Amino acid sequence: MQQNDIDIRIGARIRAERESRNWSLTDLAERAGVSRAMIHKVERGTSSPTANLLGKLSGAFGLSMSTLLARAEAAGGHLLRRLDQPVWIDPETGYIRRQISPRSDLPLDLVQIVLPAGKHVPMPASAYAFQRQLIWVLEGELEFDEGPVRHRLNAGDCLQLGPPADCIFRNPGKFPCIYAVTVLRND
């Protein structure tokens, strides 16, 4: 799937979520704390949303970011082959998100993240509402700020997140950090 295709699908999903709630662009902008113009560009597929923006929008909808993206990306069925796994790239940081699990009625999502060296991605607490999750570092090192607490994780380490808090994923290393996120949805 091309990056432009995924941007169009994400934009369409955001519009569908907004319209299903009978919200105007202004309503969503106020609830998410982002500009109306930016939402309009994302919905049209002319601007690739950042991870932080997606976190704010999903929180406004009362959804996890993972659920919002899965609704836009994932195909159904029992098998999702690697070549068919949707990939989304944050235009601001180069953060790569791969949806590993197929869309199903299971309340679980499995996602692989590649965070480039020296980059960080902030996420608002609203992006984690309605879910529980684990972070498992596969390669590299990850600093994860969960509210005021900083966790330093290396390859093989696994962290269960606590209650929703503003977070920052940070790669302090010289190489990409690859980690898996397992999300148990409550939505």
Side-chain angles (χ1 to χ4, degrees), residues 4-156:
N4 191 38
D5 292 342
I6 195 66
D7 289 343
I8 290 168
R9 290 176 71 174
I10 289 170
R13 182 76 249 166
I14 290 168
R15 174 178 285 152
E17 293 292 338
R18 178 178 60 79
E19 289 176 348
S20 73
R21 291 163 175 78
N22 293 316
W23 293 354
S24 67
L25 280 171
T26 302
D27 293 334
L28 178 55
E30 288 173 359
R31 291 170 195 259
V34 299
S35 80
R36 191 177 172 280
M38 178 53 69
I39 295 170
H40 183 64
K41 289 178 184 177
V42 168
E43 283 189 354
R44 287 191 347 245
T46 59
S47 179
S48 184
T50 65
N52 188 261
L53 176 64
L54 286 174
K56 290 177 180 182
L57 293 173
S58 64
F61 292 135
L63 299 171
S64 67
M65 184 173 136
S66 184
T67 299
L68 179 66
L69 286 172
R71 287 180 180 179
E73 300 173 331
H78 295 283
L79 175 65
L80 185 55
R81 298 203 183 273
R82 180 171 176 80
L83 291 176
D84 297 326
Q85 294 169 352
V87 173
W88 174 77
I89 302 171
D90 180 357
E92 189 171 80
T93 62
Y95 158 110
I96 302 169
R97 180 190 186 279
R98 176 182 293 277
Q99 178 73 31
I100 304 297
S101 55
R103 183 173 35 188
S104 73
D105 59 353
L106 291 174
L108 182 112
D109 287 319
L110 183 58
V111 176
Q112 179 191 49
I113 306 295
V114 178
L115 183 58
K119 298 295 183 176
H120 72 278
V121 176
M123 287 286 172
S126 60
Y128 300 103
F130 320 108
Q131 66 182 10
R132 297 176 64 194
Q133 59 184 313
L134 297 170
I135 298 171
W136 177 27
V137 177
L138 304 170
E139 294 179 24
E141 53 188 306
L142 179 68
E143 287 182 354
F144 178 70
D145 294 350
E146 185 176 22
V149 178
R150 176 166 291 172
H151 305 280
R152 287 184 170 81
L153 306 169
N154 293 303

